[in-house]
Amino acid sequence: NRTTEKTHEFVAKNKSESFGANLIGSNSIEEFVKDLKVPRKVLILVPAGSATDQTIQQLTNVLDKNDIIVDTGNAHFKDQSRRAADLESKGLRFLGMGISGGEEGARKGPAFFPGGTLSVWEEIRPIIEAASAKAEDGRPCVTMNGSGGAGSCVKMYHNAGEYAILQIWGEAYNILSDFGASNDTIAAIFEDWKAKKILDSYMLDISIEAAKAKDTDGSYLTTKVLDRVGSKGTGLWSAQEALEIGCPAPSLNMAVISRQMSMFKSERIANHKSGLNVATNTTGEKITKDSALVGKLYDAVLISIIASYAQMFQCLREQDKVHKFGLNLPATIATFRAGCILKGYLLQPMTKAFENDKDLPNLMCAFHKEINGSGIKNYREAIGEVTAKSSVSIPVLSASLIYVNTMAQEVLKYGQLVSLQRDVFGRHGFERADKEGKFNHDWPEMQ
C-alpha cells in the first residue's frame, strides 16, 4: 500500500489467521526493505502506468545490486520490456508477472504468468509455485512464458479473451430474455448447457449466479444494474496491438467496442428519445428450455467461444514472432486450468491440440466436430433468427461468426474486388493468383 493506514489495518484484521504471524507491516519503504532477506525479492501490485513507475523508482532508490523487483499488475507488455532494460542497466533485476484469479484467487491461489530473464524466474520460482493454484493433476498453474514482457503479454490476451467470453454469455442472456425467458429459466438453460460438459467453466458459473441473483425486494438484480460496463485497459491494449501487427481478432475487438458503446448511456437515451427507434417485437412466444432457438443458440455460443480463444492464441503466436518471446503455447494454456478466470473444460482439448501439433494453423482446426455440419448451420440460423425477430445487440456473437466464415475460406471474393478498387483509384497495384509479381491494370479515366 502507498499509505501506512491500510497496511496496519490489514495486519490487525488478520492477526488471528493462520498466516497472521507472517504478516509484517512497515511504516516506510526503507523499513520495508530492511526487513527482507538479501538478495531481496519485492513483489508489487499497484495500478498500471505511472503508479507502477513511481513505486519502482522508490524501490530503486533503496534496493541493492541483484535485488529483484516483480511487477504483478496489469501492465502493458511493452512497458515491462522497458522496465527490465532500465533496471538491469542499474544492476537490479526485474520480472513482469501477470496474475489471474480475482479476489478468490488471492485467497486460494491464482494463476501466474511470469516473463523476463530466466535466471530471475528460477530464483523466485519456489515462492510462486507454492502460492499458485494447483490443477487437478497437482501441477502448479504457472509457467515461464518467455523473455521480455512475455508474461504481461499473455495476461493482456488472457484478459481480452475474458472480455469476449463474458460478452458472449451476456449476449446469450440478452437473447433469451428478449425472447421471453425469465432469469430463472435462463439460469436453468445455462445449467443444462453446463451439463453437456464442453461449456463447463468458471465464466458460465458466474453467469448463472448473476442471472439468478435477487435484490432485497425480491426482484432480479439484473433489472436494477446500470448497463454501463467499465474496463481497465488490457482489453483495449490487446486490440490495439493486434491491429498494429495485422492479426485479425474481431471478437476481441468487438468485446472492447461493446463496452465502449455501453458507456455512452446518455447518447443512447437521447438517440431513442429523438425518434430513432429500431426496436422489433419478437413473436410474443415464451421461449422454453426445449425451444428450437435454444438448441441453435447453444451451438452459436460454443463456436463463438472457440473462435474467441482461437483469436486470442493467434494473437499470442503473432506477438511471439514479432517480439521473440520464446512462448510455449501448450504450457501457457495449461496454466489457465485452475485459479483463473478462464478455467473450464475446453482448456483440456485446447492444450492437447497444440501439444499434438505445434504448427496447428488455428485452434478451430482441432474442433471440426463442433464447428462443421449442424454446428455452423445452427449458429447461422440462430444469428439470422435473432437479427430478424429482435433488436438485440450481439456484437461478439456476430464478430465470431464473421471470423469463422472468413478464416475457413480459401478464396475471399471481396478481397479480389477491393484489390482492384485500390488499383483503379490509387494505382496501388495488385497481386495475381496465376503469376508472381505486382501488377497494374489499364483503367479508363473515371473522373
Side-chain angles (χ1 to χ4, degrees):
N1 296 309
R2 303 187 73 189
T3 60
T4 58
E5 184 180 348
K6 284 187 177 180
T7 301
H8 293 308
E9 283 180 4
F10 180 81
V11 172
K13 182 180 178 181
N14 293 279
K15 194 172 183 179
S16 61
E17 296 285 349
S18 59
F19 54 82
N22 295 323
L23 291 176
I24 300 172
S26 303
N27 292 309
S28 68
I29 201 158
E30 291 82 6
E31 183 182 328
F32 167 69
V33 166
K34 286 180 181 178
D35 287 334
L36 300 177
K37 293 179 182 178
V38 176
R40 302 174 183 88
K41 303 169 186 68
V42 182
L43 277 67
I44 62 173
L45 178 55
V46 295
S50 61
T52 300
D53 285 326
Q54 289 170 26
T55 303
I56 289 174
Q57 184 56 53
Q58 287 179 318
L59 287 167
T60 302
N61 295 335
V62 294
L63 291 176
D64 297 321
K65 185 178 179 180
N66 290 325
D67 286 345
I68 297 170
I69 298 175
V70 182
D71 175 32
T72 64
N74 279 329
H76 194 297
F77 73 89
K78 290 181 177 177
D79 286 340
Q80 302 296 56
S81 297
R82 169 183 59 79
R83 288 168 182 145
D86 178 59
L87 290 170
E88 287 173 9
S89 71
K90 298 173 181 176
L92 296 171
R93 295 181 289 169
F94 178 81
L95 208 66
M97 184 170 68
I99 303 178
S100 176
E103 187 173 312
E104 285 193 31
R107 303 287 291 190
K108 301 174 183 178
F112 292 100
F113 315 119
T117 304
L118 184 59
S119 61
V120 180
W121 162 241
E122 291 298 338
E123 196 158 333
I124 70 164
R125 181 175 181 171
I127 300 170
I128 304 305
E129 287 187 345
S132 71
K134 306 300 184 292
E136 290 182 0
D137 59 7
R139 289 164 56 189
C141 289
V142 56
T143 190
M144 182 59 169
N145 290 283
S147 62
S152 293
C153 187
V154 168
K155 183 55 166 54
M156 275 174 47
Y157 282 101
H158 162 287
N159 286 14
E162 172 194 318
Y163 276 38
I165 297 168
L166 289 176
Q167 178 67 24
I168 290 165
W169 285 117
E171 291 172 21
Y173 165 82
N174 200 157
I175 291 167
L176 293 169
S177 179
D178 273 34
F179 276 75
S182 70
N183 278 31
D184 283 339
T185 298
I186 295 171
I189 289 170
F190 285 177
E191 290 279 11
D192 285 348
W193 291 359
K194 178 181 177 179
K196 295 182 180 182
K197 197 69 174 176
I198 195 168
L199 284 174
D200 188 3
S201 65
Y202 177 76
M203 284 189 279
L204 173 53
D205 288 341
I206 64 175
S207 301
I208 293 169
E209 286 303 309
K212 293 192 299 185
K214 298 284 183 70
D215 202 1
T216 52
D217 63 0
S219 62
Y220 291 118
L221 187 58
T222 54
T223 63
K224 304 290 182 65
V225 176
L226 189 65
D227 56 335
R228 288 163 50 96
V229 185
S231 58
K232 293 185 177 180
T234 47
L236 175 60
W237 295 340
S238 299
Q240 289 172 329
E241 291 298 331
L243 289 168
E244 182 69 28
I245 63 171
C247 185
S251 302
L252 310 188
N253 295 348
M254 283 308 304
V256 175
I257 293 170
S258 68
R259 293 191 180 195
Q260 292 173 335
M261 289 190 290
S262 80
M263 295 300 290
F264 279 72
K265 176 76 171 178
S266 58
E267 181 185 327
R268 288 187 283 117
I269 292 173
N271 291 341
H272 185 74
K273 286 183 176 179
S274 76
L276 183 64
N277 187 355
V278 298
T280 301
N281 292 326
T282 59
T283 59
E285 298 177 6
K286 293 289 184 182
I287 203 166
T288 68
K289 292 167 63 175
D290 299 320
S291 297
L293 179 58
V294 172
K296 293 175 183 178
L297 186 59
Y298 169 84
D299 283 325
V301 167
L302 173 58
I303 296 173
S304 183
I305 289 174
I306 292 170
S308 297
Y309 272 119
Q311 294 162 60
M312 171 184 162
F313 297 145
Q314 291 302 94
C315 286
L316 284 172
R317 291 169 116 182
E318 293 302 312
Q319 294 291 356
D320 188 34
K321 291 177 186 177
V322 173
H323 300 284
K324 298 178 172 54
F325 293 135
L327 190 69
N328 180 348
L329 193 57
T332 295
I333 298 170
T335 64
F336 301 156
R337 293 181 299 160
C340 176
I341 306 301
L342 296 183
K343 69 179 179 182
Y345 177 85
L346 265 172
L347 293 171
Q348 298 176 32
M350 290 191 300
T351 302
K352 188 174 180 180
F354 286 112
E355 285 177 341
N356 291 342
D357 183 3
K358 66 180 179 63
D359 298 319
L360 189 71
N362 186 294
L363 178 67
M364 294 189 296
C365 298
F367 289 90
H368 293 166
K369 178 182 175 183
E370 290 75 17
I371 297 175
N372 292 351
S374 61
I376 192 65
K377 179 176 180 291
N378 286 340
Y379 191 173
R380 290 170 179 154
E381 289 181 358
I383 297 302
E385 183 174 348
V386 170
T387 303
K389 294 182 178 179
S390 78
S391 54
V392 176
S393 179
I394 46 174
V396 176
L397 283 171
S398 300
S400 294
L401 181 57
I402 291 169
Y403 183 78
V404 176
N405 284 340
T406 304
M407 300 307 290
Q409 292 192 48
E410 290 187 281
V411 177
L412 298 173
K413 292 186 178 180
Y414 72 73
Q416 294 173 315
L417 187 68
V418 174
S419 293
L420 293 180
Q421 290 171 338
R422 295 180 73 244
D423 193 51
V424 173
F425 75 79
R427 301 301 187 266
H428 292 293
F430 56 90
E431 295 176 295
R432 295 181 62 108
D434 57 352
K435 61 181 75 173
E436 295 289 332
K438 197 86 167 178
F439 300 87
N440 295 99
H441 187 66
D442 185 16
W443 303 104
E445 292 292 328
M446 300 293 289
Q447 295 187 12

